[in-house]
Amino acid sequence: MQFKRPVVAYVILIIAALVALYPLVDVVLMSFKDLPGIVSSPFSLPTSWHFDNYTTAWSQGNLLLYLVNTAIVSVVAVVVIVFFSSLAAYVIARFDFRGNQVIYLTFLAGLALPIQMIAVPLFILMKQIGLVGNLLSVILIYAASGLSFSVFLLVNFIRSVPKDLEEAATLDGASYFQIYWHVILPLIRPSLSTTALLNFLTAWNGFFFPLILLTNPNRMTVAVGVLSFVGQYSTQWNLLLPALVIVMLPTIIVFALASRQFIRNMTAGAVKM
Amino acid sequence: MRRRRWHVIVGFLGPALILYLIFIVYPFLSSLRYSLYNWNGVGPLTDFIGIKNFTFVLFSHSFAPMFWRAVWHNLYFFAMSMVLTTIFGLLLAYLLIGIKERPSRWFQVFYFIPMVVPPVVVAYIWSMYLEPGYGAIPQLLSALHLDALNVPFLGSEALALPTIAVITAWAGMGFPILIFIASMLNIPEEMIEAAKVDGAGRWRTFRSVIFPFIRPTFLTITTLNFVGAFNAFDLIYIMEGTQAGPNYATDVIGTLFYRTAFGGFGTTAQGVGLATALAFVGFFIVMIASAILVFLQRRAAMDL
């Protein structure tokens, strides 16, 4: 379906790319301006580069703390999801036992459940087990709610590959864990990296549960932390913009590193819709 | 050997299943229970009131109007995102499969980037751009002498919700583009060639070959947009506050639920029972719509 003369296509695509990316580039550029510059001439390049915006925002905004908290939440949640869901998916896809289907369908049902819907009982549960205000509360919620999609994706993927390698490994006397570790894991790497990336972004960008569970300033994640930062410095865009840049850079960097593989997996139907 | 197999099944499945049962299944079931009680979240669960919370949400004079207004706003949000993702998502996907693969992949990465930006950043970027008086967009409009268009977008009852829908579409366009591409890449090249041989032009080929082929995908996009629209919360909360201003013009089920469950400026929490009932009704709307859409999708896929 190649265009013979793709000039018009390229023009439209480039304009669309500018619409998608200009605001993000602009925020970075503006974050180096002083306040009058931001307000009076939003379209010009900075005339002088105010790196001190960053040092001030960094020291006044608790940003390091928020970043560390968010990193702990996202990384732990992703590791738990990847590890637990791949173990479970291996058993569901390859072991025939009573209850297999019921368990698989229980996981699948979670795909239809918007997690916010059970926010109230989750909040009450967290209160009962004393985890309100603890990063672990949000980690557990993201880990549990990420399982459905991940199990679904991995079961489908494992079922689609032939059993030959596993059977050969069994003949060589490998244990089930060795088969999981040395055969299954390398095999499902593309799907695993897709779920890892999606779950990382969900956890890093998550807003609702940190909002209701992590209200202690020492335990806030970036999404909520920036909100309280804005509360204090509402019109000081010269401090707010560097904070926004610092908050969005990690996700963009992680995505940039994983993007080629991710786009290829998505359009190759790694995620069956 | 059989015993060992059971150890493996329990050991491998256990961690995921326990986590899932405690933090998804159990809260879901308790939510069903709470919705049948008049309960404010503290003390024992004693005041059983049957389905009164549900009738209160759906029919009462004091609450139902807020609920239906929120549902209407969610539907409006859904319609807006449907129009935007279809027009722009489909156009861009169509152009992307028509150019060379390498640049095409680069564009796909570019279009996806806004999706990975935290909603709090998206919300503040656009709040800043739209700030009446000194924001970039008002300044641009006044420089172009388009003063009629120069209105406080986020402060206007008529424009606040569509404005936030456009911003949501800006941030979320990457995913529908990828889904459309994945589906268009499955079209057998022969079908396109055959259409060309028959003398069909670009538009005709698109209408008669590509579009019928990707119709099931269309329903996927509808489902995603529907679920997304009924889960709308972050941007509205950050840009318009818990009261979903101006004058509740952006109040959706998410913000109404938040106020009911956790209180908000100016209102007090109205109770756990009521909030869970509200969440359930919202959930049913999404469930029923998704079930219908999945059914239609199956049928469309079979028609091919």
Side-chain angles (χ1 to χ4, degrees):
Chain A
M1 268 182 275
Q2 295 286 312
F3 297 112
K4 279 197 209 73
R5 276 173 298 159
V7 181
V8 181
Y10 275 110
V11 171
I12 298 172
L13 290 170
I14 289 168
I15 292 172
L18 286 176
V19 172
L21 297 181
Y22 176 79
L24 303 176
V25 176
D26 190 37
V27 167
V28 177
L29 290 177
M30 290 224 281
S31 67
F32 290 102
K33 289 185 187 178
D34 53 10
L35 189 57
I38 296 170
V39 175
S40 63
S41 50
F43 295 106
S44 63
L45 285 169
T47 43
S48 58
W49 296 78
H50 289 263
F51 291 96
D52 52 314
N53 287 349
Y54 276 83
T55 48
T56 316
W58 185 260
S59 61
Q60 290 187 11
N62 272 337
L63 292 176
L64 180 63
L65 180 74
Y66 300 149
L67 285 172
V68 170
N69 286 342
T70 317
I72 292 172
V73 167
S74 334
V75 171
V76 176
V78 167
V79 170
V80 169
I81 291 170
V82 163
F83 197 53
F84 285 14
S85 68
S86 57
L87 279 168
Y90 169 47
V91 169
I92 292 172
R94 286 297 198 240
F95 287 64
D96 201 14
F97 60 96
R98 192 196 282 266
N100 183 320
Q101 274 304 307
V102 175
I103 289 171
Y104 185 44
L105 288 176
T106 310
F107 277 118
L108 284 195
L111 284 174
L113 181 80
I115 181 78
Q116 265 107 314
M117 198 217 130
I118 53 168
V120 172
L122 273 173
F123 184 82
I124 292 168
L125 176 65
M126 291 302 170
K127 219 163 153 187
Q128 283 164 349
I129 56 180
L131 287 183
V132 171
N134 190 321
L135 291 181
L136 196 55
S137 64
V138 180
I139 293 175
L140 288 166
I141 292 172
Y142 287 139
S145 64
L147 285 174
S148 288
F149 181 66
S150 193
V151 166
F152 162 70
L153 200 67
L154 297 176
V155 167
N156 274 339
F157 193 86
I158 296 173
R159 279 182 181 160
S160 72
V161 294
K163 290 183 185 170
D164 307 0
L165 277 172
E166 294 155 58
E167 278 160 6
T170 315
L171 289 179
D172 287 346
S175 71
Y176 287 117
F177 188 78
Q178 283 170 324
I179 294 177
Y180 161 78
W181 192 257
H182 293 294
V183 180
I184 298 288
L185 273 191
L187 213 60
I188 61 177
R189 255 226 328 250
S191 282
L192 223 44
S193 65
T194 304
T195 86
L197 180 64
L198 289 175
N199 281 305
F200 177 83
L201 294 174
T202 309
W204 187 282
N205 293 343
F207 181 70
F208 191 84
F209 284 101
L211 179 71
I212 60 173
L213 285 166
L214 305 176
T215 43
N216 175 343
N218 289 325
R219 291 287 177 270
M220 283 179 180
T221 57
V222 282
V224 183
V226 168
L227 207 64
S228 78
F229 187 72
V230 174
Q232 293 167 45
Y233 305 95
S234 56
T235 49
Q236 283 178 274
W237 290 104
N238 56 327
L239 297 184
L240 194 51
L241 289 171
L244 295 182
V245 172
I246 292 170
V247 167
M248 76 174 179
L249 272 186
T251 59
I252 293 185
I253 290 169
V254 168
F255 177 68
L257 292 174
S259 62
R260 307 283 292 174
Q261 172 87 29
F262 173 74
I263 299 280
R264 198 172 311 134
N265 290 342
M266 293 290 286
T267 50
V271 183
K272 288 239 164 43
M273 290 290 173
Chain B
M1 192 61 198
R2 260 203 93 67
R3 263 187 74 124
R4 234 186 81 209
R5 238 176 75 91
W6 269 109
H7 287 179
V8 171
I9 290 171
V10 173
F12 282 21
L13 206 49
L17 198 58
I18 290 169
L19 192 63
Y20 187 75
L21 287 175
I22 296 179
F23 294 103
I24 303 291
V25 177
Y26 169 71
F28 180 78
L29 296 176
S30 15
S31 156
L32 200 58
R33 203 157 71 97
Y34 296 153
S35 71
L36 302 174
Y37 284 83
N38 177 21
W39 189 47
N40 63 4
V42 274
L45 211 56
T46 47
D47 191 5
F48 182 84
I49 55 167
I51 60 162
K52 275 207 185 119
N53 281 325
F54 290 91
T55 53
F56 191 68
V57 168
L58 293 170
F59 308 114
S60 70
H61 287 295
S62 50
F63 197 84
M66 288 195 282
F67 169 73
W68 291 110
R69 181 180 58 198
V71 171
W72 164 245
H73 288 158
N74 282 109
L75 287 172
Y76 183 83
F77 205 81
F78 161 67
M80 284 282 299
S81 42
M82 214 38 223
V83 170
L84 294 167
T85 48
T86 307
I87 296 177
F88 293 105
L90 201 54
L91 172 72
L92 293 173
Y94 178 67
L95 297 176
L96 284 171
I97 57 161
I99 62 169
K100 289 208 184 67
E101 192 175 335
R102 258 183 93 79
S104 176
R105 291 230 186 268
W106 277 110
F107 279 116
Q108 289 168 42
V109 171
F110 293 157
Y111 299 152
F112 204 87
I113 287 177
M115 270 202 92
V116 310
V117 173
V120 63
V121 177
V122 171
Y124 285 124
I125 291 177
W126 288 99
S127 297
M128 181 180 71
Y129 277 167
L130 291 167
E131 192 84 48
Y134 66 81
I137 291 172
Q139 286 198 33
L140 187 68
L141 288 171
S142 73
L144 296 171
H145 299 289
L146 292 169
D147 293 318
L149 297 178
N150 204 348
V151 293
F153 290 90
L154 292 171
S156 134
E157 282 187 39
L159 290 175
L161 194 58
T163 304
I164 294 176
V166 170
I167 295 166
T168 308
W170 171 80
M173 197 58 80
F175 202 53
I177 292 176
L178 287 188
I179 294 173
F180 277 129
I181 289 178
S183 134
M184 286 188 201
L185 286 176
N186 281 329
I187 304 175
E189 195 70 24
E190 306 92 76
M191 278 171 72
I192 311 280
E193 289 305 317
K196 231 181 242 166
V197 172
D198 291 346
R202 279 214 159 267
W203 171 241
R204 190 65 218 269
T205 313
F206 182 80
R207 225 188 50 192
S208 308
V209 181
I210 301 179
F211 188 74
F213 195 90
I214 62 171
R215 232 185 7 222
T217 312
F218 216 67
L219 291 164
T220 307
I221 302 280
T222 313
T223 313
L224 286 176
N225 274 323
F226 197 86
V227 174
F230 272 80
N231 281 336
F233 177 78
D234 298 2
L235 291 188
I236 294 172
Y237 178 94
I238 300 168
M239 298 174 96
E240 303 285 4
T242 44
Q243 299 300 310
N247 192 23
Y248 299 103
T250 53
D251 199 21
V252 289
I253 292 183
T255 44
L256 180 61
F257 168 73
Y258 181 87
R259 287 202 306 278
T260 313
F262 303 101
F265 307 101
T267 48
T268 48
Q270 307 202 26
V272 165
L274 184 61
T276 46
L278 170 62
F280 255 105
V281 178
F283 175 59
F284 281 132
I285 296 176
V286 177
M287 276 293 281
I288 291 165
S290 315
I292 294 171
L293 286 163
V294 168
F295 171 75
L296 289 175
Q297 191 178 5
R298 289 266 158 80
R299 227 180 43 183
M302 279 191 317
D303 285 348
L304 277 176

